[in-house]
Amino acid sequence: MSQSGLPPLTGAVRDLAHEVVSALRGGGHLAGSTALADDELALAAVRVLGADVLLPATLAGCPLPPERVAAFRTATLAFPAAPGAAPVTAWSHWGMRRALRALGGPEEDPALPDTGEPGASWLQSLPWQRFTHQLAVLSALALPGMPSEVATTAALRPVDLARGFVRAVRRRDWLQAAGAARWLALLDGVPDTLGLDTGLDFVLLMSDDDPRVALQAHVARHIRDERLLDEGLRA
Protein backbone atom coordinates (compact mmCIF):
# COMPACT_ATOMS: atom_id res chain seq x y z
CA MET A 1 0.00 0.00 0.00
CA SER A 2 1.70 3.20 -1.17
CA GLN A 3 1.99 6.05 1.32
CA SER A 4 3.47 8.73 -0.94
CA GLY A 5 3.78 12.23 0.44
CA LEU A 6 4.16 11.08 4.05
CA PRO A 7 7.29 11.08 6.22
CA PRO A 8 9.05 7.73 5.74
CA LEU A 9 8.33 6.40 9.24
CA THR A 10 4.67 7.43 9.10
CA GLY A 11 4.32 5.71 5.76
CA ALA A 12 6.01 2.57 7.07
CA VAL A 13 3.72 2.47 10.12
CA ARG A 14 0.66 2.84 7.91
CA ASP A 15 1.88 0.10 5.58
CA LEU A 16 2.39 -2.22 8.53
CA ALA A 17 -1.01 -1.38 9.98
CA HIS A 18 -2.55 -2.11 6.58
CA GLU A 19 -0.88 -5.54 6.56
CA VAL A 20 -2.19 -6.34 10.02
CA VAL A 21 -5.76 -5.19 9.47
CA SER A 22 -5.87 -7.00 6.12
CA ALA A 23 -4.74 -10.17 7.86
CA LEU A 24 -7.40 -9.77 10.55
CA ARG A 25 -10.10 -9.24 7.95
CA GLY A 26 -8.87 -12.36 6.18
CA GLY A 27 -9.10 -14.57 9.24
CA GLY A 28 -5.71 -13.79 10.74
CA HIS A 29 -3.46 -15.22 8.05
CA LEU A 30 -0.43 -13.03 7.37
CA ALA A 31 2.24 -13.58 4.77
CA GLY A 32 5.83 -13.53 5.98
CA SER A 33 7.85 -10.31 5.64
CA THR A 34 11.47 -11.37 5.79
CA ALA A 35 12.61 -7.85 4.87
CA LEU A 36 11.50 -6.54 8.27
CA ALA A 37 14.47 -8.02 10.09
CA ASP A 38 16.96 -6.23 7.84
CA ASP A 39 15.19 -2.90 7.38
CA GLU A 40 15.76 -0.31 10.11
CA LEU A 41 12.78 1.76 9.01
CA ALA A 42 10.49 -1.27 9.08
CA LEU A 43 11.78 -2.25 12.53
CA ALA A 44 11.10 1.28 13.77
CA ALA A 45 7.57 0.94 12.39
CA VAL A 46 7.17 -2.29 14.36
CA ARG A 47 8.22 -0.44 17.51
CA VAL A 48 5.67 2.33 16.84
CA LEU A 49 2.80 -0.06 16.14
CA GLY A 50 3.92 -2.16 19.09
CA ALA A 51 2.10 -5.28 20.21
CA ASP A 52 -0.57 -4.79 17.55
CA VAL A 53 1.87 -6.24 15.02
CA LEU A 54 1.12 -9.65 16.55
CA LEU A 55 -2.67 -9.26 16.59
CA PRO A 56 -3.26 -12.00 14.01
CA ALA A 57 -1.95 -14.38 16.69
CA THR A 58 -2.95 -12.68 19.95
CA LEU A 59 -6.45 -11.69 18.81
CA ALA A 60 -7.34 -14.03 15.95
CA GLY A 61 -5.38 -17.04 17.21
CA CYS A 62 -3.59 -17.72 13.93
CA PRO A 63 0.05 -18.78 13.80
CA LEU A 64 2.42 -16.13 12.49
CA PRO A 65 5.26 -16.73 10.05
CA PRO A 66 8.51 -17.24 11.99
CA GLU A 67 10.03 -14.32 10.08
CA ARG A 68 7.40 -11.95 11.46
CA VAL A 69 7.90 -13.11 15.04
CA ALA A 70 11.68 -12.84 14.65
CA ALA A 71 11.38 -9.31 13.28
CA PHE A 72 9.11 -8.35 16.17
CA ARG A 73 11.61 -9.74 18.66
CA THR A 74 14.42 -7.84 16.92
CA ALA A 75 12.47 -4.59 17.18
CA THR A 76 11.72 -5.26 20.85
CA LEU A 77 15.43 -5.63 21.56
CA ALA A 78 16.53 -2.79 19.27
CA PHE A 79 14.21 -0.15 20.74
CA PRO A 80 13.98 -0.70 24.50
CA ALA A 81 12.43 1.79 26.88
CA ALA A 82 15.36 3.73 28.28
CA PRO A 83 15.61 4.33 32.03
CA GLY A 84 13.42 7.29 32.89
CA ALA A 85 11.42 6.98 29.66
CA ALA A 86 7.93 8.42 29.50
CA PRO A 87 5.33 6.07 31.01
CA VAL A 88 3.62 5.46 27.66
CA THR A 89 6.96 4.39 26.18
CA ALA A 90 7.64 2.02 29.07
CA TRP A 91 4.15 0.56 28.83
CA SER A 92 4.32 0.15 25.07
CA HIS A 93 7.54 -1.81 25.38
CA TRP A 94 6.08 -3.86 28.22
CA GLY A 95 3.15 -4.67 25.94
CA MET A 96 5.52 -5.91 23.25
CA ARG A 97 7.28 -8.19 25.72
CA ARG A 98 3.93 -9.48 26.97
CA ALA A 99 2.85 -10.23 23.40
CA LEU A 100 6.02 -12.24 22.83
CA ARG A 101 5.43 -14.18 26.03
CA ALA A 102 1.87 -14.89 24.89
CA LEU A 103 3.35 -16.61 21.84
CA GLY A 104 5.30 -18.93 24.10
CA GLY A 105 8.76 -17.40 23.90
CA PRO A 106 11.43 -19.00 26.11
CA GLU A 107 11.66 -17.53 29.59
CA GLU A 108 15.41 -16.98 29.25
CA ASP A 109 14.97 -14.84 26.13
CA PRO A 110 16.57 -11.42 26.82
CA ALA A 111 13.65 -9.82 24.99
CA LEU A 112 11.33 -11.05 27.74
CA PRO A 113 12.74 -9.84 31.05
CA ASP A 114 10.29 -10.31 33.89
CA THR A 115 10.58 -6.78 35.24
CA GLY A 116 6.94 -6.41 36.23
CA GLU A 117 4.53 -3.75 35.08
CA PRO A 118 5.77 -0.14 34.90
CA GLY A 119 2.97 1.12 37.18
CA ALA A 120 -0.08 3.19 36.31
CA SER A 121 -0.54 5.58 39.23
CA TRP A 122 0.29 8.49 36.90
CA LEU A 123 -2.94 7.80 34.97
CA GLN A 124 -5.28 8.00 37.92
CA SER A 125 -5.21 11.75 38.47
CA LEU A 126 -5.05 12.90 34.86
CA PRO A 127 -7.90 15.12 33.63
CA TRP A 128 -10.24 13.25 31.32
CA GLN A 129 -8.86 14.89 28.18
CA ARG A 130 -5.28 13.83 28.91
CA PHE A 131 -6.47 10.48 30.26
CA THR A 132 -8.14 9.70 26.94
CA HIS A 133 -5.09 10.78 24.97
CA GLN A 134 -2.75 8.57 26.97
CA LEU A 135 -5.05 5.54 26.76
CA ALA A 136 -5.42 6.01 23.01
CA VAL A 137 -1.64 5.94 22.67
CA LEU A 138 -1.66 2.70 24.69
CA SER A 139 -4.57 1.12 22.82
CA ALA A 140 -2.42 -1.93 21.99
CA LEU A 141 -2.90 -2.92 25.65
CA ALA A 142 -6.69 -3.06 25.19
CA LEU A 143 -7.26 -6.76 24.58
CA PRO A 144 -9.63 -9.22 26.24
CA GLY A 145 -7.98 -11.61 28.64
CA MET A 146 -4.82 -9.48 28.82
CA PRO A 147 -4.98 -7.67 32.18
CA SER A 148 -2.70 -4.83 33.22
CA GLU A 149 -2.68 -1.94 35.65
CA VAL A 150 -3.50 0.35 32.74
CA ALA A 151 -6.61 -1.71 31.95
CA THR A 152 -7.59 -1.71 35.62
CA THR A 153 -7.30 2.07 35.75
CA ALA A 154 -9.25 2.46 32.50
CA ALA A 155 -12.06 0.35 33.94
CA LEU A 156 -12.50 2.88 36.75
CA ARG A 157 -13.17 5.79 34.36
CA PRO A 158 -15.43 4.68 31.48
CA VAL A 159 -17.45 7.90 31.55
CA ASP A 160 -14.32 10.03 31.30
CA LEU A 161 -13.15 7.91 28.40
CA ALA A 162 -16.53 8.26 26.70
CA ARG A 163 -16.25 12.05 27.05
CA GLY A 164 -12.79 11.85 25.56
CA PHE A 165 -14.06 9.83 22.61
CA VAL A 166 -16.69 12.45 21.84
CA ARG A 167 -14.11 15.22 22.17
CA ALA A 168 -11.72 13.45 19.81
CA VAL A 169 -14.48 13.06 17.22
CA ARG A 170 -15.38 16.73 17.49
CA ARG A 171 -11.72 17.66 17.09
CA ARG A 172 -11.46 15.32 14.09
CA ASP A 173 -8.68 13.37 15.78
CA TRP A 174 -9.72 10.09 14.23
CA LEU A 175 -6.80 8.03 15.49
CA GLN A 176 -7.35 9.09 19.09
CA ALA A 177 -11.08 8.48 18.73
CA ALA A 178 -10.50 4.98 17.38
CA GLY A 179 -8.00 4.17 20.13
CA ALA A 180 -10.44 5.37 22.78
CA ALA A 181 -13.20 3.32 21.16
CA ARG A 182 -11.08 0.20 21.46
CA TRP A 183 -10.84 0.70 25.21
CA LEU A 184 -14.54 1.52 25.46
CA ALA A 185 -15.39 -1.73 23.69
CA LEU A 186 -13.54 -3.56 26.44
CA LEU A 187 -15.03 -1.77 29.45
CA ASP A 188 -18.20 -2.06 31.49
CA GLY A 189 -20.12 1.03 32.50
CA VAL A 190 -19.95 2.85 29.16
CA PRO A 191 -23.02 5.13 28.81
CA ASP A 192 -25.61 3.64 26.45
CA THR A 193 -26.17 7.12 25.05
CA LEU A 194 -22.65 7.19 23.60
CA GLY A 195 -23.63 5.23 20.49
CA LEU A 196 -20.20 3.67 20.10
CA ASP A 197 -21.03 1.59 17.02
CA THR A 198 -22.42 4.57 15.14
CA GLY A 199 -19.51 6.67 16.31
CA LEU A 200 -17.02 4.13 14.99
CA ASP A 201 -18.78 4.10 11.62
CA PHE A 202 -18.42 7.88 11.46
CA VAL A 203 -14.76 7.79 12.48
CA LEU A 204 -13.98 5.26 9.75
CA LEU A 205 -15.90 7.26 7.16
CA MET A 206 -14.04 10.46 7.98
CA SER A 207 -10.54 9.04 8.51
CA ASP A 208 -9.55 9.05 4.83
CA ASP A 209 -8.82 5.31 4.82
CA ASP A 210 -6.07 5.65 7.43
CA PRO A 211 -5.10 2.00 8.10
CA ARG A 212 -4.11 2.83 11.68
CA VAL A 213 -7.68 3.97 12.34
CA ALA A 214 -9.06 0.96 10.50
CA LEU A 215 -6.97 -1.34 12.67
CA GLN A 216 -8.22 0.17 15.92
CA ALA A 217 -11.81 0.12 14.70
CA HIS A 218 -11.55 -3.51 13.61
CA VAL A 219 -10.22 -4.57 17.00
CA ALA A 220 -12.89 -2.54 18.80
CA ARG A 221 -15.63 -4.20 16.80
CA HIS A 222 -14.12 -7.63 17.32
CA ILE A 223 -14.08 -7.08 21.07
CA ARG A 224 -17.67 -5.82 21.09
CA ASP A 225 -18.88 -8.72 18.97
CA GLU A 226 -17.17 -11.23 21.25
CA ARG A 227 -18.65 -9.59 24.34
CA LEU A 228 -22.15 -9.55 22.86
CA LEU A 229 -21.82 -13.20 21.89
CA ASP A 230 -20.64 -14.10 25.37
CA GLU A 231 -23.48 -12.15 26.98
CA GLY A 232 -25.97 -13.88 24.67
CA LEU A 233 -24.66 -17.30 25.63
CA ARG A 234 -24.93 -16.46 29.32
CA ALA A 235 -28.43 -14.97 29.03
Side-chain angles (χ1 to χ4, degrees):
M1 182 178 182
S2 175
Q3 300 290 347
S4 60
L6 295 172
L9 180 56
T10 301
V13 172
R14 289 192 176 204
D15 284 342
L16 187 56
H18 177 73
E19 283 187 27
V20 174
V21 76
S22 295
L24 292 173
R25 288 169 175 164
H29 300 287
L30 179 69
S33 295
T34 55
L36 279 182
D38 302 315
D39 186 331
E40 289 186 6
L41 181 62
L43 288 177
V46 170
R47 180 64 182 92
V48 172
L49 201 60
D52 279 350
V53 174
L54 301 186
L55 279 174
T58 56
L59 185 68
C62 290
L64 287 169
E67 298 88 355
R68 177 53 58 100
V69 178
F72 186 87
R73 179 185 177 279
T74 298
T76 303
L77 288 169
F79 300 101
V88 290
T89 301
W91 271 105
S92 174
H93 196 261
W94 177 87
M96 293 178 74
R97 300 197 310 271
R98 179 179 70 172
L100 278 173
R101 285 194 295 271
L103 296 185
E107 290 297 326
E108 67 274 13
D109 192 325
L112 307 174
D114 185 13
T115 56
E117 297 185 22
S121 59
W122 57 280
L123 270 175
Q124 297 170 5
S125 60
L126 290 180
W128 61 269
Q129 300 93 329
R130 184 68 175 161
F131 179 73
T132 301
H133 174 266
Q134 297 291 275
L135 281 182
V137 173
L138 292 174
S139 59
L141 300 180
L143 284 174
M146 302 284 269
S148 67
E149 288 185 39
V150 170
T152 299
T153 302
L156 299 174
R157 300 178 64 179
V159 175
D160 281 348
L161 193 55
R163 293 175 69 192
F165 171 76
V166 173
R167 178 176 181 267
V169 170
R170 288 176 174 171
R171 292 167 61 91
R172 305 177 71 85
D173 189 339
W174 311 123
L175 185 57
Q176 183 178 143
R182 178 167 163 178
W183 281 106
L184 288 165
L186 191 65
L187 302 181
D188 294 323
V190 177
D192 293 335
T193 54
L194 179 63
L196 184 59
D197 292 328
T198 302
L200 265 177
D201 288 342
F202 182 74
V203 168
L204 277 173
L205 178 66
M206 299 299 293
S207 65
D208 195 27
D209 295 323
D210 186 334
R212 300 170 302 170
V213 175
L215 177 58
Q216 299 299 334
H218 181 92
V219 177
R221 284 175 166 162
H222 177 92
I223 293 171
R224 279 180 68 79
D225 289 346
E226 289 294 312
R227 292 192 68 186
L228 289 172
L229 177 62
D230 183 60
E231 290 170 3
L233 291 174
R234 289 189 282 111

